[in-house]
Amino acid sequence: MDTEERGTASPVAPVAFEVDGDPRGRATAGVQRQLWVEEPAVRPRLPDPVRTAAVRAVILTSLTMIQAIVAYLCTLAGSWLAFPMVLSSVGSTVVATWGVLDVWVTRQVWNQRHGVVSVPSSTARQLRRERRKARRAARRSARARQREERTRRGTGRLSQA
């Protein structure tokens, strides 16, 4: 590659390499295969409130573990700080447990409010379909009533002269 070619080449070009032979014994000489292949995610991304609660729970749990280790080391060293650290570790354990339960509760609430539509026959989808039908029927009946009122009032012309 010349200096000119390097200057015009894109900095993020896909890396490809030639495959001489297939491990299964098939000959694939001269075939270009990319080094990095994007695959779709197996699980969908968590909803924002659930992800926020999960991050909060991980931070609380990690701080609790650090605090427990410091309390243990202070106890081994015979430091005066050991007793307050043990007490605060117990409190932190309660808070970390609340954080983990918060993730579970937030996830359940989100699923109840937004519905988990995982298969075509999901109950959430069917409930939305029924609500849509009811709204359409209500609009149709309201339009029919308005038409009846107009016909009862008169011919609908501005003047009857």
Side-chain angles (χ1 to χ4, degrees), residues 22-36:
D22 194 9
R24 294 182 209 124
R26 289 182 276 157
T28 56
V31 175
Q32 291 268 329
R33 188 168 62 114
Q34 285 190 352
L35 183 63
W36 184 268

Side-chain angles (χ1 to χ4, degrees), residues 111 114-130:
N111 285 342
H114 301 286
V116 179
V117 182
S118 57
V119 291
S121 61
S122 172
T123 55
R125 187 174 290 170
Q126 186 163 354
L127 288 174
R128 283 199 303 262
R129 194 176 295 134
E130 289 171 3

Side-chain angles (χ1 to χ4, degrees), residues 11-86:
V12 192
V15 178
F17 58 93
E18 287 197 22
V19 180
D20 291 334
D22 194 9
R24 294 182 209 124
R26 289 182 276 157
T28 56
V31 175
Q32 291 268 329
R33 188 168 62 114
Q34 285 190 352
L35 183 63
W36 184 268
V37 179
E38 288 287 332
E39 294 180 7
V42 178
R43 299 178 83 186
R45 183 176 166 171
L46 283 174
D48 287 339
V50 179
R51 194 170 57 252
T52 304
V55 168
R56 190 181 321 121
V58 166
I59 291 172
L60 289 172
T61 305
S62 62
L63 288 176
T64 300
M65 291 176 69
I66 291 169
Q67 201 170 10
I69 290 170
V70 169
Y72 177 71
L73 293 175
C74 285
T75 304
L76 288 180
S79 173
W80 64 271
L81 197 57
F83 184 67
M85 287 299 290
V86 168

